[in-house]
Amino acid sequence: MAIEAVVFDLDGVIIDTEEVWEEVRRGYVAEYGREFLPDTQDRMMGMSTPEWSGHLANDVGVPRTPEQVAADVLGRMAERYRTSLPLIEGSVEAVRRLGERYPLALASSSARLLIDQVLETAGLTDAFRVTLSTEEVPRGKPAPDVYLTACEKLGFAPAVCAAVEDSSNGLRSAGAAGLAVIAVPHGVYPPAPDALVLASLVVTNVAELTPERLAGIRAE
């Protein structure tokens, strides 16, 4: 079967924010005298807002409730997005290009506040039929929930949808949901080999994606 719809991740695919997230959360943790461990950022990649805020509060030891941690960090991130959105070169054009051929959805681990801010700043508010945050489904990535729900809302079976992802947990999430996986590995935070092997197509940059490239992918 041919691909009939495409679901994009946001962070690391359309905007290059993993380093921004690390900088903001690392600084936040340091303000409370806690240690941001070497694997802290990797562990939080793909987590929903309640999951990563709970991790910082309960595991890292920030003396705030998860709800307070989320509000603090999301407020700082939204301000960064309003003033300096780190768009990946060619990403907006890739979204528009694929949107001329396929119905599009967005399935992101970012909070709804940040998704809406990014799309407004990038001029992509009208590009996606469906936008979904993992905070709006029971479990974050690597669980398949956000991709299954995105496909359902689009009106397509996962088997005829492709997911564009960069992180290990994102690739695992899309694979577990049964979508054809397109990997755009992040140069600083590359996916683990066991996650990358799930990809039907690997590209070095999202700007390489065209309807013609996707036409070569066969859904299961």
Side-chain angles (χ1 to χ4, degrees):
M1 294 182 289
I3 297 299
E4 298 180 21
V6 180
V7 186
F8 277 86
D9 179 35
L10 181 63
D11 295 86
V13 172
I14 296 173
I15 51 174
D16 192 8
T17 56
E18 295 302 347
E19 292 184 46
V20 180
W21 273 107
E22 180 169 355
E23 178 184 334
V24 168
R25 291 192 287 209
R26 182 183 292 276
Y28 180 70
V29 166
E31 288 176 14
Y32 290 96
R34 298 302 190 266
E35 184 179 5
F36 198 91
L37 298 173
D39 68 340
T40 298
Q41 179 68 9
D42 285 342
R43 291 182 62 184
M44 288 189 291
M45 289 176 69
M47 285 186 177
S48 66
T49 301
E51 289 168 338
W52 64 252
S53 60
H55 175 66
L56 292 181
N58 302 322
D59 301 327
V60 177
V62 174
R64 302 271 282 168
T65 67
E67 293 76 17
Q68 290 171 327
V69 169
D72 293 344
V73 173
L74 292 177
R76 298 181 189 198
M77 290 295 297
E79 180 59 28
R80 292 284 290 268
Y81 289 177
R82 280 190 292 270
T83 59
S84 182
L85 186 65
L87 281 168
I88 292 174
E89 184 176 359
S91 63
V92 171
E93 294 80 2
V95 169
R96 292 294 186 188
R97 188 164 56 242
L98 293 186
E100 292 177 355
R101 168 63 180 82
Y102 301 102
L104 302 182
L106 187 75
S108 174
S109 297
S110 280
R112 169 57 58 186
L113 168 72
L114 299 186
I115 292 172
D116 292 345
Q117 183 63 60
V118 169
L119 297 183
E120 178 182 341
T121 305
L124 288 174
T125 302
D126 64 336
F128 298 96
R129 294 189 186 182
V130 173
T131 63
L132 196 63
S133 166
T134 52
E135 67 183 13
E136 297 162 346
V137 297
R139 298 173 297 173
K141 302 172 185 179
D145 303 32
V146 71
Y147 277 106
L148 291 173
T149 304
C151 292
E152 179 183 2
K153 288 181 177 292
L154 269 180
F156 291 89
V160 296
C161 295
V164 185
E165 270 285 0
D166 68 303
S167 69
S168 296
N169 283 342
L171 295 168
R172 293 173 182 135
S173 174
L179 286 76
V181 181
I182 300 170
V184 189
H186 193 284
V188 179
Y189 306 98
D194 73 288
L196 190 59
V197 75
L198 300 171
S200 300
L201 174 66
V202 180
V203 297
T204 58
N205 190 287
V206 69
E208 298 176 27
L209 294 179
T210 64
E212 292 73 25
R213 293 292 297 274
L214 268 65
I217 300 174
R218 304 302 296 179
E220 294 296 332

